[in-house]
Amino acid sequence: MNAATPLKDHWKEQRLFLSRLVAAGVIMLLLTGVLVYRLVQLQIVDYQLFSELSQGNRLRIEPLAPTRGLVYDRNGNVLAENLPAWELVLTPEQVPDLETTLAELVRIGLVDVEQQNALATLVRSHRRFENVMLSNLSDEQAARFAVRRHQFPGVDIREGLIRHYPYGEAAAHAIGYVASISSADLEVIERREYAATSHIGKTGIERGFEIELHGGVGYRQQVVNAQGRVLLDPASRTESAPSASAISNLETLWPVPGRNLTLSLDIELQLAAEAAMAGLRGAVVAIDPRNGDVLALVSAPGFDPNRFATGLSQQDFKALNSDPDNPLFHRALAGTYPPGSVVKPFLGLAALHHLEIEPSAREMCPGFFVLPGNTHRYRDWRPQGHGLVDLHDAIVQSCDVFYYRLAVELGIDTIEQFLKSFGFGAPTGIDISGERGGVVPSREWKRTRFSRREDQVWFPGETVITGIGQGFTAVTPIQLAHATAVLASRGTAYRPRLVIAAEDRVTGDVTEFMPIGLGRVEVEESQWQYIHEAMLGVTEEPQGSGFTAMRGAPYRVAGKTGTAQVYSIAQEEEYDEENVAERLRDHGLFIAFAPAENPVISLAVVVENGGGGASAAAPVARAVLDAFFAGEEYVTREH
Amino acid sequence: MSLGSIELGRHPAAGLRPLSFRGIVVDFPLLATILAICAYGLIVLYSALEENSSLLLRQGVRLGIALGAFVVVSQIPPRLLRLWTPWVFCVGVGLLALVTVSGDMGGGAQRWLDLGIIRFQPSEIMKLAVPMMVAWFMHERTLPPKFSQLFVLMFIVFLPAILIARQPDLGTALLVVAAGGITILLAGVSLRVIGFAGVLAVGSAPLLWHFMRDYQRARVMTFLNPESDPLGAGYNIIQSKIALGSGGLFGKGWLNGTQAHLEFLPERSTDFVFAVMGEEFGLLGLLLLLALYLALIGRGLFIATQAQETFTRLLAGTLSLTFFFYVFVNAGMVCGLLPIVGVPLPFVSAGGTSMVTLMAGFGMLVAIKGNKKLLAP
């Protein structure tokens, strides 16, 4: 036997095991004692209390909805408020047969027949003790239910608040809307916070600031009878009074109301801009270049957000959704358009900055441009050409040939880097969701965007047309307005924002948000000045493309027109507006800032299929600027 | 031969018995107590299932299957159990890994392994396999375990526990750790090590708390104090306390529990069946159940004291004490002493998965009891 292996001492091991077993047994008995003590406490000591809670009248926890925060414009006009309304509410655990109950409610006209199945699904996705709101009732409907109340155990009406947008369609895309919480919403929200809430923000500010606007849920304990009717409610101690011990145990925790938000929007300006866009498709964005405040955010056509808050039938929603004019689409943030010639001031600045060109050097514009060693003619919008033009003239008259040459000299890499420094090609970061980034094309972008090898190569011709904002370049109206603001402020960039202040309704404290700086675009002062003067020329020189629209304005406007081609024209063809279908007609664009010498507003207008920028977009800009400067605040600044 | 246990066929007089009983191992006190608990459970379940006899029948079938597992396992000689232990453990860990991998690919819940006809939870095996493996490891070695051996034991316990926790099934992982931990404690690990582990656990809590984010802390707080969230996690516990408390000393009587029958009490046929029992049969009914449980556990502990080798001894002790752990965690949860974890009440809660494991465990106890004399010289 190996002496190194210790022998097992069976007796010692057994004694060790037994001692452990005894210790475990003692602990076990102690724990059992704790358990029994607890049971005695519950079942003997507190028997009376629990017995009352369970006998006939039982405790129900009623969640209390917080009131949603209000939304104001910058001048204190109410954009979104809450109005009292009747709500039809169902408590699943007290309804004997859901299908029959819903069918019966449809029969007496309180629930929309198309909603019946969706509501059944919604009710089943709630827990049995959670209240589910079925619909909003008019006074007449509420009265109709009240007399039949006894036929509907588990269904009740309660006084609720309904969201109301006093300006209707105005700024509908910016403010957004609330609608009934859907089964899909339930997956993503904190359910207990919404136990009493029936509506949730779906788009715009209502969605982006849902947490601030919603507030915090409260609850109260109530004593209810077997049918779920409230017998005792601590909040209204007027009902028949059960025993004292039941009352002392009822708790109430009041909800925390949502915060009031003040937007940067000026609703008067917004209304003027929407009036100017009446009947058109497109977008208007106005930004204060001094802080990034969005003064107007128009996407046309609009829609009435009140229809969502009161409950839109599925059919109506489908109709809205499949409207060819797409009114629900937020064009100002998510519409991407070729910028056309409005890109010219930016590329002109790039040329001054990077190429150090002589600002007064003149070049011949024969009406077309040809790349060396190639026969393809890149045409100017003016077939006979502009003659001898310098950079100033090229911006004022929107000469394409000058810019074809400029683009080739700059090269696509410089163009890309310079345009991106103005915020093109990426979301501006405005404080509501749904924004798209657009495209600033580059060699790298083309490599990753296309899968076929031959599509991935960057062709020199693509650089040429990038010079006049055609080709792959795509921008959103908010990007255009933002970039124009950077131009107006000579390089200082602020993140566009809609919410400028939030008010806590419990304490009354107002939090004002600071503008968020996005850094600077560094260009020499004289070069900024040169471009500003060229853009002034656009509206003040007789041959300027914005001259007609801005003639006689009591303020000085720096602007630029743009006409973006939607439809490709073959090499020898002529663009004939009459013959091109309406949807393939050119988009009209206009960017502007004013007053030119001390800008307080920058503007981007896009009119889809409106034809030219001068004829379609510039007049809209004029109307918006007129409305803006009609306010007395700016009268003193005029010369 | 002890009073309750007979071992047919091993006694010289066994020749007089019918042939069909040869080798059958039975422990009457144990079996009788189990059957009494099950019968009591079915009576309460009939009420909790709203007098639905087809649902009750399904539970009866599950019970039958579990009893089958009990009988089969009780016939396996402990020597064989011991020899199979490493294989059972390795296969169990392998299946757990498989579930993790296939579940990862499926992207959904990862607890079930689908074998085509049947689906089962490999984590369930580990409730038995982990203490068996610890006992197997210590069997060849001297007790108490040396310090270096502790690391092997830790590995045996925590490897499957971590795999189960990743599924994520923290409740079962906790039970597996508890079972393995109890075996190690019974093996005589020194009090200093126990104290050190305790200090480590308590000491790491504030550190962990310090590194948690606010929302994680909020979750822990709700877990520890569900009544702070009366609309969510607190709802169950409030209703179950009302059910228990309103039962009083004698209860409201069978089928008369209002909390349960008016659907105020959630999970009343599974995790919260203890509250139904308390509401309808009162404190006395619950004390009867606890007495039956203690009798069963006492019998198990007695079998552990009679076992004559390390493997069977540790296994028998662990099985009995783990059973108590289940009872205490469930009852403690229902009466608001412990946070809510999904542990069913043994032999009473509706559901078959854990019942088979429990019955197999008691089968092992019977086998250990029955084979005692084989090993005695």
Side-chain angles (χ1 to χ4, degrees), chain A residues 15 23 91 160 179 186 201 227 272 306 434 458 475 540 580:
Chain A
R15 211 179 42 169
T91 313
L186 286 175
Q227 280 212 317
N306 288 313
W458 184 265
V475 302
E540 294 186 349
V580 179

Side-chain angles (χ1 to χ4, degrees), chain A residues 269-285:
Chain A
L269 186 69
Q270 177 83 21
L271 286 168
E274 290 186 12
M277 287 296 286
L280 302 175
R281 274 176 289 114
V284 179
V285 182

Side-chain angles (χ1 to χ4, degrees), chain B residues 100-349:
Chain B
T100 312
V101 171
S102 68
D104 277 345
M105 291 192 295
Q110 306 173 8
R111 298 182 190 181
W112 299 90
L113 192 67
D114 202 334
L115 298 180
I117 310 166
I118 49 162
R119 300 197 309 157
F120 81 107
Q121 286 174 289
S123 57
E124 205 60 38
I125 302 180
M126 299 319 290
K127 288 187 190 169
L128 293 175
V130 165
M132 282 167 76
M133 190 65 191
V134 172
W136 175 86
F137 181 79
M138 290 318 299
H139 183 74
E140 300 291 339
R141 293 163 177 83
T142 42
L143 299 183
K146 292 194 192 64
F147 192 69
S148 59
Q149 290 164 354
L150 276 178
F151 289 98
V152 181
L153 297 178
M154 286 294 145
F155 181 75
I156 293 173
V157 174
F158 282 106
L159 173 69
I162 287 167
L163 283 173
I164 295 168
R166 275 200 49 195
Q167 289 179 351
D169 183 358
L170 283 172
T172 309
L174 189 76
L175 294 180
V176 166
V177 171
I182 289 172
T183 325
I184 296 174
L185 289 181
L186 287 179
V189 67
S190 79
L191 290 173
R192 261 188 302 170
V193 174
I194 298 171
F196 179 70
V199 169
L200 203 69
V202 173
S204 65
L207 202 68
L208 210 64
W209 182 259
H210 178 75
F211 284 109
M212 275 194 284
R213 290 170 186 279
D214 278 345
Y215 76 93
Q216 287 171 321
R217 287 180 189 173
R219 275 188 201 166
V220 172
M221 288 314 290
T222 323
F223 186 69
L224 293 177
N225 181 19
E227 281 163 67
S228 67
D229 181 12
L231 298 171
Y235 180 81
N236 289 16
I237 196 67
I238 290 170
Q239 296 303 332
S240 101
K241 274 164 67 182
I242 294 176
L244 279 175
S246 64
L249 183 60
F250 300 105
K252 295 173 185 171
W254 190 45
L255 304 181
N256 287 334
T258 52
Q259 279 292 109
H261 281 265
L262 294 173
E263 304 192 1
F264 276 82
L265 185 66
E267 308 283 337
R268 55 198 171 277
S269 68
T270 53
D271 289 356
F272 282 85
V273 71
F274 190 73
V276 178
M277 192 180 269
E279 186 180 20
E280 300 194 351
F281 296 105
L283 181 62
L284 292 180
L286 293 181
L287 290 181
L288 172 66
L289 181 75
L290 290 179
L292 284 171
Y293 278 140
L294 286 184
L296 185 58
I297 295 160
R299 182 69 189 165
L301 292 177
F302 173 73
I303 291 173
T305 62
Q306 300 298 299
Q308 288 176 354
E309 45 171 30
T310 305
F311 178 74
T312 50
R313 207 180 268 157
L314 288 179
L315 190 56
T318 307
L319 290 171
S320 314
L321 292 174
T322 322
F323 186 79
F324 175 77
F325 188 76
Y326 291 0
V327 173
F328 183 75
V329 169
N330 178 274
M333 158 181 104
V334 171
C335 61
L337 282 177
L338 297 175
I340 295 186
V341 282
V343 175
L345 188 63
F347 296 145
V348 180
S349 286

Side-chain angles (χ1 to χ4, degrees), chain A residues 6-10 12-14 16-18 20-21 24-25 27-29 31-32 34-36 38-40 42-44 46-48 50-56 58-63 93-94 127-130 192 195 217-219 221 224-226, chain B residues 138-144 185-191 194 229-232 235 238-239 241-242 244-249 252 258-259 262-264 274 278 282-283 286-287 290 294 297 301 304-305 310 313-314 317 321 324 328 331-332 335-337:
Chain A
L7 268 179
K8 283 184 85 136
D9 183 342
H10 284 283
K12 194 180 152 206
E13 286 194 2
Q14 182 159 19
L16 176 67
F17 175 75
L18 279 179
R20 285 297 160 98
L21 212 57
I27 291 173
M28 190 176 89
L29 289 176
L31 289 177
T32 311
V34 172
L35 202 58
V36 171
R38 175 69 170 177
L39 290 174
V40 167
L42 287 174
Q43 300 192 288
I44 309 292
D46 290 337
Y47 167 72
Q48 206 58 36
F50 288 118
S51 181
E52 276 181 45
L53 290 179
S54 86
Q55 270 169 23
R58 281 171 313 274
L59 206 58
R60 187 174 72 180
I61 293 156
E62 165 84 359
E93 65 182 357
Q94 289 144 7
R127 284 196 278 190
R128 296 186 53 75
F129 56 89
E130 286 177 339
R192 67 170 286 244
V217 71
Y219 64 85
Q221 294 182 322
V224 295
N225 72 5
Chain B
M138 290 318 299
H139 183 74
E140 300 291 339
R141 293 163 177 83
T142 42
L143 299 183
L185 289 181
L186 287 179
V189 67
S190 79
L191 290 173
I194 298 171
D229 181 12
L231 298 171
Y235 180 81
I238 290 170
Q239 296 303 332
K241 274 164 67 182
I242 294 176
L244 279 175
S246 64
L249 183 60
K252 295 173 185 171
T258 52
Q259 279 292 109
L262 294 173
E263 304 192 1
F264 276 82
F274 190 73
L283 181 62
L286 293 181
L287 290 181
L290 290 179
L294 286 184
I297 295 160
L301 292 177
T305 62
T310 305
R313 207 180 268 157
L314 288 179
L321 292 174
F324 175 77
F328 183 75
C335 61
L337 282 177

Side-chain angles (χ1 to χ4, degrees), chain A residues 59-83:
Chain A
L59 206 58
R60 187 174 72 180
I61 293 156
E62 165 84 359
L64 301 174
T67 43
R68 199 170 174 84
L70 307 182
V71 181
Y72 299 102
D73 87 337
R74 65 185 304 122
N75 300 317
N77 298 304
V78 177
L79 303 182
E81 61 188 345
N82 307 306
L83 297 181

Side-chain angles (χ1 to χ4, degrees), chain A residues 11 23 52 131 141 203 220 350 405 492 534-535 542 567 572 581 592 630:
Chain A
W11 186 76
E52 276 181 45
N131 288 329
Q141 284 176 314
T203 64
R220 63 171 172 239
R405 201 174 291 137
T492 311
M535 288 176 74
Y567 177 68
E572 295 305 325

